Amino acid sequence: MKVFITTLLTLALSTACTVLPAKQTVAHDNAEEKSSDVYQQPGSAKFTAELAQQLVDNASIKLEEAQVGVTHLVGVTSQYDESSALSQVLSEQLMLELHRRNWNVMDFKTTDFIRVTSNGDFALSRDYLELDEIMPISHVVVGTLSRHRDGIMVNTRLVDINSKKVASVAQVFLPESAVRQLDENDGQPLLRKAP
C-alpha cells in the first residue's frame, strides 16, 4: 500500500511541476531581435528588390517560361565593357531578388568543375574558355548606371536575347548614402591625400 501511495504521489508531483517554456519563447524572440540589430541589409538591397518587383510588374511575357541571365550593369556613358564594384553588387543582389520571385535565373559564370587551390575552392569563373559555350538563356537582364548629384539612377530591362525585344523595364534612384555603404577595397585600408 505504501508503494502504491508513493508511486501515486510521485506521479502527481511530477505532472504538477510541469512548466510551459514561456520564458524560453520570449528569450528566443529577443535573440531574433538582437540578430536583426547585428546584421542589417545594405542600403542597396531594398532598391534592387524594388527593381526586381518592377521587372515582374512590367513584364510583357510569361516569366515562368524565360531562362534569364543577369549581366553586370554598366556606366551609361561607358564603352559597355567595364563594370564597377557597385554594378557587380547590384547585379548579384538582382539575381537574388529575381530568384526569390521564382524567375528561372541562369548562372552562366558557373563552371562544370570545382577548382581547388591554396586560396580556396571555386566553381565561378570569368574566363570564357572555362564556361559553357551554349546555355539555354532566352532573356537577359541588362542595365545602366548614371551618376547624379545625390546618387545614381539605375535603369534595367529584360531583353529577348534573340529578337532584342524589350520584355520589361525598371528604374530606381540609389541615394548617395546607399552607394557609400559599399566597401570597394575588400577591407583594405583607404589611403587618402592630406587636406
Side-chain angles (χ1 to χ4, degrees):
M1 183 75 165
K2 280 185 170 180
V3 173
F4 176 73
I5 292 173
T6 306
T7 306
L8 189 59
L9 282 173
T10 304
L11 184 64
L13 288 174
S14 67
T15 57
C17 293
T18 303
V19 178
L20 295 176
K23 288 186 179 181
Q24 290 176 348
T25 304
V26 172
H28 179 69
D29 290 340
N30 287 341
E32 285 178 7
E33 287 174 17
K34 286 181 183 175
S35 69
S36 67
D37 289 343
V38 173
Y39 177 74
Q40 247 184 344
Q41 286 281 352
S44 58
K46 70 178 178 180
F47 297 101
T48 52
E50 187 179 330
L51 274 174
Q53 193 57 50
Q54 285 184 35
L55 286 169
V56 169
D57 294 343
N58 297 329
S60 62
I61 62 167
K62 292 182 179 178
L63 295 172
E64 62 275 2
E65 296 175 4
Q67 302 291 325
V68 180
V70 179
T71 63
H72 290 158
L73 309 176
V74 294
V76 73
T77 59
S78 74
Q79 293 297 313
Y80 293 168
D81 62 355
E82 291 182 3
S83 64
S84 65
L86 174 64
S87 72
Q88 293 175 29
V89 168
L90 292 175
S91 296
E92 291 291 326
Q93 290 174 342
L94 196 52
M95 282 182 72
L96 171 106
E97 292 297 337
L98 294 174
H99 187 272
R100 283 182 176 168
R101 286 160 177 79
N102 297 318
W103 285 36
N104 297 315
V105 180
M106 307 293 290
D107 192 342
F108 52 86
K109 289 178 279 198
T110 302
T111 64
D112 292 334
F113 56 90
I114 298 171
R115 182 184 307 104
V116 179
T117 72
S118 58
N119 294 325
D121 310 326
F122 308 98
L124 294 175
S125 178
R126 286 195 170 112
D127 183 350
Y128 73 95
L129 295 174
E130 295 180 343
L131 303 176
D132 282 342
E133 226 176 277
I134 300 172
M135 295 228 20
I137 293 176
S138 62
H139 290 77
V140 64
V141 175
V142 297
T144 59
L145 305 174
S146 54
R147 169 86 42 200
H148 291 262
R149 184 179 321 146
D150 298 324
I152 294 178
M153 182 64 72
V154 182
N155 290 290
T156 58
R157 53 197 173 274
L158 178 66
V159 181
D160 184 304
I161 204 157
N162 294 313
S163 71
K164 310 304 184 241
K165 182 178 179 184
V166 174
S168 188
V169 294
Q171 179 184 68
V172 297
F173 185 76
L174 191 62
E176 189 63 35
S177 60
V179 175
R180 281 195 311 265
Q181 287 182 346
L182 178 65
D183 179 11
E184 293 189 38
N185 295 325
D186 292 324
Q188 299 300 317
L190 293 173
L191 298 176
R192 292 194 171 96
K193 292 182 182 178

